[in-house]
Amino acid sequence: MAEQTTSASADIPEDGPRASAPGSPPAPAGKPDSAVVRDALGVGIAVGLSGFAFGVTSAGAGLSVGQTCALSLLVFTGASQFALVGALAAGGNPLTAAAGAFFLGVRNAFYGLRLSQLLRLPGPVRPLAAQWVIDETTAVALAQPSRRAARIGFTVTGLTLYTLWNLSTLAGALGAEALGDTAAWGLDAAGPAVFLALLAPMLRTATERTVAGLAVVLGLGFLPVLPAGVPVLVAALAAPAVLWYEGRRRTTSGKGTDR
């Protein structure tokens, strides 16, 4: 833990750009606050408006306006929300649907571990900030060159996205009856599409791409034969399977080198 804290502090200075090591290329110049706010607003507005699609899909799955809005207010993680209502709409067991949504949301806990070191927020603020630890706020915060910029990016993205997501969820739930069949409009695919668009640029290593590819194969492969909500649980096995294989391969390679 001490090594992690030291590393985080060295990587992200409080107010200035990242320091460059001797002999390395110059560190990037500090980013103006206005540029951070602009980028954060762009992400928050673009993704926040897709809450309309969730509101329509949720209402189409049989949830009331109150239940739909409660999911956005309390859960506030789009992929998990879409997974839950999608499984319910397909006739899945509520417990299985909730389990699938839960496993999708677990990733936010890992985001929180990294962001806690990066942002270093005061203790009383952390429980409130935890509600905003999602893909978009994490991506914006980690892209910043300093702790100050990361805090601004996280706060502006979180506030904008949370506000617009909940307002557009309400609008979608209220307008679902007027729109009719959500499948005809393709709105049920809007949320997952946004999630995948944000995830794709983050798959930088071969291991990450392998995990993502295997998860897709498992999810789609078991979709026709397993009850709704279960394929996403099976897809979650991709990460431990690939990590086990990588560990075994490195161990074998290490033994071969020793010889």
Side-chain angles (χ1 to χ4, degrees):
M1 181 62 71
E3 292 178 359
Q4 215 175 17
T5 304
T6 303
S7 174
S9 301
D11 289 345
I12 306 291
E14 185 69 39
D15 294 309
R18 291 185 177 90
S20 54
S24 63
K31 194 172 184 179
D33 291 351
S34 58
V36 179
V37 171
R38 181 193 63 225
D39 294 345
L41 284 174
V43 173
I45 293 172
V47 180
L49 293 177
S50 64
F52 181 85
F54 170 72
V56 172
T57 304
S58 180
L63 276 70
S64 68
V65 173
Q67 290 171 327
T68 298
C69 291
L71 277 174
S72 284
L73 284 167
L74 302 177
V75 178
F76 188 54
T77 171
S80 297
Q81 292 177 231
F82 272 101
L84 176 63
V85 299
L88 292 176
N93 183 288
L95 292 178
T96 304
F102 171 79
F103 277 104
L104 274 176
V106 164
R107 70 189 187 283
N108 294 338
F110 294 99
Y111 294 162
L113 293 175
R114 179 65 181 97
L115 289 179
S116 66
Q117 298 294 330
L118 171 64
L119 301 178
R120 298 283 185 87
L121 296 174
V125 178
R126 290 190 176 191
L128 299 175
Q131 179 68 355
W132 291 353
V133 177
I134 55 175
D135 302 294
E136 295 81 6
T137 54
T138 302
V140 172
L142 292 179
Q144 306 311 319
S146 69
R147 177 166 291 118
R148 171 186 170 83
R151 286 176 172 176
I152 293 173
F154 176 85
T155 303
V156 174
T157 305
L159 179 61
T160 306
L161 183 48
Y162 189 76
T163 302
L164 286 180
W165 180 267
N166 281 283
L167 289 176
S168 58
T169 292
L170 175 61
L174 292 174
E177 186 175 345
L179 286 173
D181 183 13
T182 57
W185 293 83
L187 293 176
D188 52 341
V194 171
F195 174 72
L196 291 175
L198 288 166
L199 177 65
M202 300 175 69
L203 303 177
R204 297 172 181 172
T205 67
T207 300
E208 291 169 349
R209 289 190 289 269
T210 302
V211 169
L214 180 58
V216 170
V217 171
L218 289 174
L220 294 179
F222 284 97
L223 191 61
V225 295
L226 292 179
V230 177
V232 70
L233 300 180
V234 176
L237 298 175
V242 173
L243 291 176
W244 174 83
Y245 174 77
E246 285 289 319
R248 185 178 178 83
R249 184 177 64 83
R250 289 174 184 174
T251 301
T252 304
S253 176
K255 290 180 179 178
T257 304
D258 293 339
R259 289 177 192 147

